[in-house]
Amino acid sequence: MAIEDKELQCADCGANFTFTAREQEFFKSKGYTNEPKRCPSCREARKTQRYGTGYSRSQRQMFPATCAVCGQATEVPFEPTEGRPVYCRDCYSKARTNRPR
Ligand SMILES: [Zn+2]
Ligand SMILES: [Zn+2]
């Protein structure tokens, strides 16, 4: 018996969407017995939402900069401002340990 496309209603936005025969077969092959509750766009939105918040929390934005001492390209976790020297990791730790007394 051939599987037919099914018309389902999204639990989030209430829109009708098609649960295609192909998707039904895919669900079956995965062992899923439940039908999808949300339309593809709501599913996608939830996925990116979850991803988005988790990502921004763990990932810090880095800005490209040039070290004021050795001229090496480096990255800093803040936006470099003009007139303020930026140091690479090496020079920064050297400057901290070799501070004049
Ligand atoms: Zn929806
Ligand atoms: Zn440097």
Side-chain angles (χ1 to χ4, degrees), residues 67 69-72 87-88 90-91:
C67 176
V69 177
C70 67
Q72 232 193 115
Y87 305 107
C88 68
D90 279 359
C91 295

Side-chain angles (χ1 to χ4, degrees), residues 2-99:
I3 306 173
E4 278 176 30
D5 288 2
K6 233 182 210 175
E7 199 73 18
L8 296 176
Q9 200 180 27
C10 174
D12 270 10
C13 67
N16 287 326
F17 66 98
T18 312
F19 187 28
T20 62
R22 228 190 149 126
E23 286 173 312
Q24 291 178 57
E25 264 176 19
F26 177 76
F27 262 57
K28 238 186 182 172
S29 74
K30 289 278 180 189
Y32 301 149
T33 48
N34 293 328
E35 292 172 342
K37 287 196 174 63
R38 291 173 185 88
C39 68
S41 57
C42 284
R43 250 177 278 158
E44 201 58 39
R46 284 174 82 87
K47 224 195 279 175
T48 50
Q49 237 178 31
R50 221 180 301 156
Y51 247 103
T53 50
Y55 213 69
S56 61
R57 227 182 288 150
S58 60
Q59 191 102 345
R60 219 165 169 190
Q61 200 186 352
M62 298 296 277
F63 296 89
T66 311
C67 176
V69 177
C70 67
Q72 232 193 115
T74 184
E75 277 184 333
V76 288
F78 54 89
E79 196 161 11
T81 41
E82 237 175 290
R84 269 191 75 186
V86 173
Y87 305 107
C88 68
R89 214 160 292 182
D90 279 359
C91 295
Y92 185 71
S93 56
K94 260 185 229 162
R96 269 163 64 118
T97 48
N98 293 344
R99 215 171 250 170

